[in-house]
């Protein structure tokens, strides 16, 4: 419930600081006095787009702040989920707009994204303006009304989950068919590519091994000559390093008994000798192994040419990438070989999911038919007292193809006359009749969703007298059901039934025009309603009539 509204520097409003009360409240005032400005300010708290032009001329910033009592509406989970301090009796929404166009949103002094403010704002306040009557033309609005009043949220969620899975499988199936068709066209070429890669006997590291061996064979004479020279230096018969080192080691050990240090030196030479002997043996063996083999070199170069050709052909740089392409080709060809089976499995899954969607859509249809009957009955209960005694209101639900909202095509049918057949409501209902229908729907919706605050912006357009009074009775009843109803009206019959009465006034000052909102006391209400009855010149009869409407002596 809206407890308090504070507005500063917003269009024509210098400062507005006012309390609101539970139940049914009315706001009156001359056309152009600023009622729409106040609604515009409140709409900013519901997440509507801000504009720096809304700031009062000459000011740097405007502020709109509202305090709500949420103690009867169960909003705690929202605050816990979004890590915002929760005070059930005083929740504060604030919006600040700077002259540079930037806007900030706060919930209980915590900065929040505008999307989050919009999310909670839509659950706190519903502003019903005249243009919302046009919603009756939209099938999705009519369907939404049925689902809200039928409390079908759980059935809708189950259906939409199944429908989403069905559409995802349908998309995958279409892609699979496309892939199969494309693969079939390219099958022969893919098999040729796979054979070419397979025949190359590719392995990780093969390219590096072949390149090294090719390099060795290409320089075999140079390598053999150098190895031979190194072998001769190490293993020469007379002055070879290995034999000299061995002799040196023995000489040192021969004096170890008179020169102990020679033992240690000899041991160190022993280690060097062993390592050098091993190197010499390896060089000697390599000298024997290295031979120029033109046939082997030719074979290796042919293998390398194949690898280079494949890398160029497939636009890659390594054998690893070629192996990856080879594996992908195997998978694609395996998929082609098994495509009939895969296609059959996916089609079977799609049919199963389709049947599940139809089953859940049927459950939803039954729930909607049941809700439609309730709405039809309640609409007659509401509309007959509001001056449509012969009203016929029917909800036609026809089957349609499965869609995100089910398999039901909904249309509200209406006739204000006994012997006139029902037709689509937007084609036959007058503006005043549509206003009464929308009020009736809002009354039912508000009861179903427990919306804290509903604001009606001149919903009484096109009606007067007793009809207006009956509309006021409905709004009054809504306001007595743990919710707050505020209506902007020009009709005294509606204004008189408000628990609280506010007036919007416009004043011209030396600095410009300003708009104000104030709560009227009993005497002021009498005068205001009398003026609504008779105009600027208030007669005694109008005063008495106003007192009668207010049940004031």
């Amino acid at each position: 419930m809206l407890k308090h509204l504070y507005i500063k520097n917003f269009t024509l409003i210098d400062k507005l600081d006012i309390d609101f009360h539970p139940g049914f409240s009315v706001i009156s005032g001359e056309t152009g006095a600023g009622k729409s400005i106040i609604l515009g300010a409140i709409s900013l708290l519901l997440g509507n787009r801000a504009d720096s032009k809304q700031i009062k001329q000459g000011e740097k910033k405007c502020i709109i702040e509202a305090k709500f009592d949420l103690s009867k509406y169960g909003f705690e989970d929202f605050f816990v989920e979004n890590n915002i301090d929760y005070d059930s009796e005083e929740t504060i929404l604030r919006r600040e707009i700077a002259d540079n166009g930037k806007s900030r949103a706060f919930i209980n002094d915590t900065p929040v994204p505008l999307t989050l403010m919009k999310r909670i704002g839509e659950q706190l306040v519903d502003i019903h303006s005249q243009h919302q009557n046009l919603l009756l033309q939209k099938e999705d609005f009519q369907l939404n009304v049925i689902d809200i009043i039928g409390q079908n949220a759980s059935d809708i969620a189950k259906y939409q989950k199944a429908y989403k899975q069905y559409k995802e499988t349908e998309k995958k199936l279409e892609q699979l068919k496309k892939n199969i068709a494309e693969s079939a066209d390219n099958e022969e070429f893919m098999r040729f590519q796979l054979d070419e890669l397979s025949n190359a006997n590719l392995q990780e590291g093969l390219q590096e091994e072949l390149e090294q061996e090719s390099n060795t064979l290409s320089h075999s004479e140079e390598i053999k000559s150098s190895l031979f020279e190194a072998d001769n230096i190490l293993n020469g018969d007379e002055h070879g390093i290995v034999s000299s080192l061995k002799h040196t080691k023995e000489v040192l050990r021969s004096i170890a008994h008179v020169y102990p240090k020679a033992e240690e030196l000899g041991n160190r030479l022993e280690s060097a000798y062993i390592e050098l002997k091993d190197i010499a043996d390896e060089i000697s063996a390599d000298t024997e192994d290295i031979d120029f083999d033109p046939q082997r070199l030719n074979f290796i170069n042919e293998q390398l040419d194949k690898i280079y050709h494949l890398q160029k052909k497939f636009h890659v740089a390594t054998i690893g990438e070629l192996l990856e392409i080879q594996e992908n080709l195997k998978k694609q060809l395996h998929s082609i070989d098994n495509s009939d089976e895969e296609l059959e499995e996916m089609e079977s899954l799609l049919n199963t999911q389709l049947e599940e969607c139809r089953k859940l859509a049927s459950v939803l249809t039954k729930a909607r038919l049941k809700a439609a009957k309730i709405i039809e009955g309640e609409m007659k209960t509401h509309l007959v007292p509001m001056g449509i005694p012969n009203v016929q209101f029917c909800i036609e639900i026809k089957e349609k193809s499965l869609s995100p909202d089910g398999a039901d095509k909904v249309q509200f049918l209406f006739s204000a006359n006994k012997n006139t057949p029902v037709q689509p409501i937007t084609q036959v209902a007058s503006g005043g009749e549509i206003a009464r229908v929308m009020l009736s729907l809002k009354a039912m919706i508000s009861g179903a969703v427990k919306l804290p605050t509903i604001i009606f912006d001149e919903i009484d357009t096109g009606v007067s007298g007793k009809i207006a009074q009956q509309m006021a009775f409905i709004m009054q009843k809504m306001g007595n059901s743990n919710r707050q109803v505020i209506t902007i009206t020009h009709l005294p019959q509606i204004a008189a039934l408000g628990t609280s009465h506010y007036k919007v006034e416009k004043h011209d000052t030396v600095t410009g025009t300003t708009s104000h909102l104030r709560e009227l006391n009993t005497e002021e209400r009498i005068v205001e309603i009398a003026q609504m009855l008779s105009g600027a010149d208030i007669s005694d009869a109008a005063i008495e009539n106003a007192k009668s409407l207010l049940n004031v002596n």
Side-chain angles (χ1 to χ4, degrees), residues 41-155:
I42 295 174
S43 70
L44 289 176
L45 297 175
L46 309 186
N48 284 12
R49 185 177 177 181
D51 189 334
S52 60
K53 293 177 182 177
Q54 294 168 312
I55 302 172
K56 187 174 175 63
Q57 189 172 4
E59 301 295 338
K60 296 290 186 182
K61 181 174 75 171
C62 74
I63 299 172
I64 300 98
E65 180 178 285
K67 295 179 182 178
F68 294 88
D69 182 347
L70 307 182
S71 56
K72 298 178 182 178
Y73 302 101
F75 277 89
E76 186 171 0
D77 288 347
F78 172 88
F79 289 84
V80 172
E81 174 190 340
N82 294 286
N83 197 29
I84 299 172
D85 291 339
Y86 178 61
D87 183 340
S88 64
E89 294 185 358
E90 188 165 282
T91 290
I92 302 173
L93 269 60
R94 186 170 82 255
R95 191 87 181 269
E96 298 180 358
I97 306 166
D99 59 358
N100 61 5
K102 292 185 178 180
S103 162
R104 296 197 299 167
F106 301 84
I107 301 176
N108 289 342
D109 288 328
T110 299
V112 297
L114 193 58
T115 52
L116 193 64
M117 175 170 274
K118 184 178 179 68
R119 206 174 115 201
I120 190 173
E122 289 175 343
Q123 298 177 67
L124 293 177
V125 180
D126 175 37
I127 299 178
H128 180 92
S129 56
Q130 292 181 54
H131 77 270
Q132 279 195 310
N133 291 339
L134 298 175
L135 290 173
L136 271 178
Q137 299 176 9
K138 299 181 180 294
E139 182 188 335
D140 58 348
F141 172 77
Q142 297 180 9
L143 185 62
N144 194 37
V145 167
I146 293 172
D147 286 333
I148 290 172
I149 293 172
Q151 298 185 336
N152 297 333
S154 176
D155 290 336

Side-chain angles (χ1 to χ4, degrees), residues 162-163 165-166 169 344-360 402:
Y163 182 76
Q165 291 174 338
Y166 165 71
T169 302
E344 187 178 329
E345 287 179 2
M346 192 165 290
E347 285 175 341
S348 176
L349 174 62
L350 186 68
N351 288 332
T352 300
Q353 291 176 336
L354 178 59
E355 286 305 311
E356 179 67 10
C357 283
R358 286 173 175 163
K359 177 182 173 183
L360 293 172
L402 290 178

Side-chain angles (χ1 to χ4, degrees), residues 325-339:
I325 291 170
Q326 182 177 331
E327 187 61 29
N328 287 335
L329 286 168
K330 286 181 180 179
K331 289 179 180 178
Q332 290 180 62
L333 289 167
H334 181 270
S335 179
I336 292 173
D337 294 338
N338 296 275
S339 58

